[in-house]
Amino acid sequence: MKVLMLTPYLPYPLLSGGQIRTYNLLKQLAPKHEITLFSLIKHESEKQLIKQIAPYCKKVQVFRRSEKPFTLKNIFHTAISQYPFLVIRNRVAEVTDAVKTELMETQYDLIHAETFYMMPHLPKTNVPTILVEQTIEYSGYESYAKKAIWPVRGVLNLDINKIRRWEKHYWQIADRLIVMSHEDKKFITQHVSQPDKIDVVANGVDIDWFAQKTKQLPNSPTVLFVGTFNWLPNQEAVRFLVNQVWPLILQKLPRAQLMIVGNAPTTEVMTYTKKFPNITVQGGIPDIRDAFARAHILIAPVFDGKGTRYKILEAMASQTAIVATKTAVEGLGLTPNKQVLIADTAPDIAQHALELLTDNHKREQLAQAGLRFVTSHYDWSLISRKLDQIYQTIGEKT
């Protein structure tokens, strides 16, 4: 089948959940489909990365968006536009023109749009459209706005209302809608007139790739936090971990180390190394397996948002035991106390972490159970098969 795919990022390097997902799906689907990829980039230097994607695509074309989100132009256009900032920041006129030209010159079987805010680039067309919602955007921003001070909250709520309106609009008009979990499907079902068009295609993990790195644990008990910091729930999660959980762990285990790893660390996150003992912060590292190889456990204290859950899948694939909140593992089908330890308060999270850091046998049992689970449920070969079936179903109808 001929597929035109639109993404708000180049699917390489593998720094964010979206990049990881798109790259691996392209890799798996390439032998069966002819995919043309249109992606947004922020820097001219990203063009040299096209060669990493090219083997899996018929054609790759990239388009520049503003390097920084909060430009005067973006803010002004948001103020006078019916679209939210998220759409304005990712809307590039050249993409719309290129899509129109592409659809006129080539007969495509379907259009695959990653994220609702790529949908405004599409002209009216009879080509079936798949919208992939990696997260429910307005839900994550709502949680953040509730905790903001009043003047900021008021401005955020105005923009969130726009996000909610347009996100739901594109849920309605897409021919098929793909979500990450059954919980997301249940949520969106309440807001669309055709719930049977919603499919769950979960995220996956490259089991073989993670198996190539073995554990190289340091002498000090080491805790890992992983998260892309331009996603607000991750900022809140690491703040909660550092300020409320970490002091409790240090009281009982003063030798413990905390590694904070993730793309685009904020200024606040970078200050943790100066304010608190035994903390290191790294931005996007070349190989995330190196971080997992040095970690005894992963802590994922996420309370808001519906995200990609990659940190959980990668931890299991790397045989790293996990302590997480209910939200952090929502929709993955994990059994508490078997593949993961679950807690939602700082004392309970700290207690679970201490149990695993001081009990090698329990930690190894949890890690091995996680590896068996992720291998049988979340390998990319299994996940891509589901997406391929959806492609084929659409193709049969066109």
Side-chain angles (χ1 to χ4, degrees):
M1 295 179 62
K2 291 185 178 180
V3 181
L4 176 59
M5 182 180 292
L6 279 65
T7 66
Y9 44 73
L10 194 66
Y12 201 89
L14 308 182
L15 298 177
S16 69
Q19 289 172 308
I20 294 168
R21 177 183 174 88
T22 305
Y23 176 83
N24 281 283
L25 288 175
L26 283 172
K27 189 176 177 180
Q28 295 287 333
L29 294 171
K32 301 179 181 179
H33 304 284
E34 186 179 287
I35 300 174
T36 294
L37 178 67
F38 283 4
S39 296
L40 302 184
I41 59 172
K42 293 187 289 184
H43 309 281
E44 283 294 316
S45 60
E46 291 181 69
K47 290 182 178 179
Q48 66 182 345
L49 299 173
I50 292 175
K51 62 178 179 287
Q52 303 290 342
I53 308 298
Y56 312 119
C57 300
K58 172 73 173 179
K59 178 171 70 173
V60 179
Q61 195 166 342
V62 295
F63 306 84
R64 279 287 301 274
R65 64 176 182 177
S66 60
E67 181 178 339
K68 296 181 179 179
F70 296 104
T71 64
L72 288 176
K73 179 179 179 181
N74 286 342
I75 293 171
F76 174 74
H77 284 172
T78 300
I80 64 173
S81 172
Q82 59 183 332
Y83 285 124
F85 182 83
L86 191 58
V87 170
I88 297 297
R89 192 263 186 278
N90 290 283
R91 197 174 187 194
V92 180
E94 290 81 3
V95 176
T96 302
D97 295 337
V99 170
K100 289 179 180 178
T101 300
E102 195 69 29
L103 293 178
M104 285 190 295
E105 294 179 351
T106 304
Q107 186 173 347
Y108 281 91
D109 297 295
L110 64 92
I111 299 170
H112 175 143
E114 288 282 330
T115 73
F116 89 91
Y117 44 89
M118 292 303 289
M119 293 287 284
H121 293 110
L122 301 182
K124 289 186 177 180
T125 177
N126 293 323
V127 180
T129 301
I130 294 175
L131 168 58
V132 179
E133 283 284 72
Q134 297 179 9
T135 184
I136 298 171
E137 294 288 348
Y138 76 82
S139 175
Y141 285 100
E142 281 178 336
S143 300
Y144 182 78
K146 290 176 183 176
K147 300 169 186 175
I149 60 175
W150 165 242
V152 176
R153 189 191 317 153
V155 174
L156 285 174
N157 282 333
L158 288 174
D159 200 60
I160 290 168
N161 287 336
K162 292 183 181 181
I163 297 175
R164 185 189 302 108
R165 173 192 171 193
W166 285 103
E167 194 163 18
K168 290 182 177 180
H169 169 73
Y170 287 115
W171 291 349
Q172 287 281 15
I173 69 170
D175 295 285
R176 295 290 285 267
L177 184 61
I178 292 175
V179 296
M180 304 297 102
S181 69
H182 290 284
E183 283 72 15
D184 286 2
K185 178 177 179 177
K186 183 178 179 181
F187 181 88
I188 294 177
T189 294
Q190 307 170 51
H191 303 284
V192 297
S193 56
Q194 297 176 282
D196 58 338
K197 74 177 183 179
I198 306 173
D199 296 287
V200 177
V201 180
N203 288 310
V205 66
D206 191 334
I207 304 296
D208 292 337
W209 187 69
F210 275 92
Q212 293 169 15
K213 288 263 183 173
T214 57
K215 284 285 188 182
Q216 297 175 336
L217 295 175
N219 293 327
S220 299
T222 301
V223 174
L224 175 64
F225 176 92
V226 178
T228 300
F229 294 107
N230 52 15
W231 178 230
L232 296 176
N234 282 335
Q235 295 178 27
E236 295 178 347
V238 74
R239 186 180 301 123
F240 176 82
L241 172 59
V242 168
N243 292 321
Q244 299 190 45
V245 179
W246 189 238
L248 299 177
I249 293 176
L250 287 182
Q251 285 178 11
K252 301 289 186 179
L253 208 58
R255 295 188 305 113
Q257 302 287 323
L258 172 59
M259 289 193 299
I260 298 173
V261 175
N263 197 35
T266 63
T267 301
E268 178 187 358
V269 171
M270 294 303 297
T271 65
Y272 292 153
T273 59
K274 298 179 181 179
K275 293 182 179 179
F276 301 93
N278 307 355
I279 293 179
T280 59
V281 177
Q282 301 180 63
I285 62 177
D287 192 335
I288 191 62
R289 295 175 299 177
D290 293 333
F292 282 110
R294 300 194 304 271
H296 289 80
I297 67 170
L298 173 86
I299 296 183
V302 178
F303 290 97
D304 294 314
K306 297 178 179 296
T308 53
R309 311 288 192 264
Y310 276 111
K311 61 177 71 71
I312 304 299
L313 299 178
E314 292 177 340
M316 289 190 288
S318 63
Q319 303 179 55
T320 305
I322 303 164
V323 179
T325 57
K326 292 178 182 176
T327 300
V329 297
E330 182 182 54
L332 293 178
L334 297 173
T335 302
N337 300 317
K338 185 176 181 181
Q339 296 108 6
V340 62
L341 298 186
I342 294 178
D344 283 328
T345 68
D348 288 343
I349 292 172
Q351 181 59 40
H352 280 324
L354 288 166
E355 289 173 12
L356 295 178
L357 291 171
T358 56
D359 188 335
N360 294 343
H361 178 68
K362 184 172 184 177
R363 186 176 68 245
E364 185 64 17
Q365 275 190 322
L366 202 70
Q368 292 305 316
L371 176 61
R372 289 192 295 271
F373 183 86
V374 77
T375 300
S376 60
H377 292 84
Y378 288 100
D379 187 78
W380 277 119
S381 62
L382 302 174
I383 302 302
S384 64
R385 198 175 303 156
K386 179 66 180 292
L387 182 57
D388 178 56
Q389 290 171 352
I390 295 170
Y391 278 9
Q392 298 295 347
T393 300
I394 292 176
E396 292 171 0
K397 295 180 179 179
T398 57

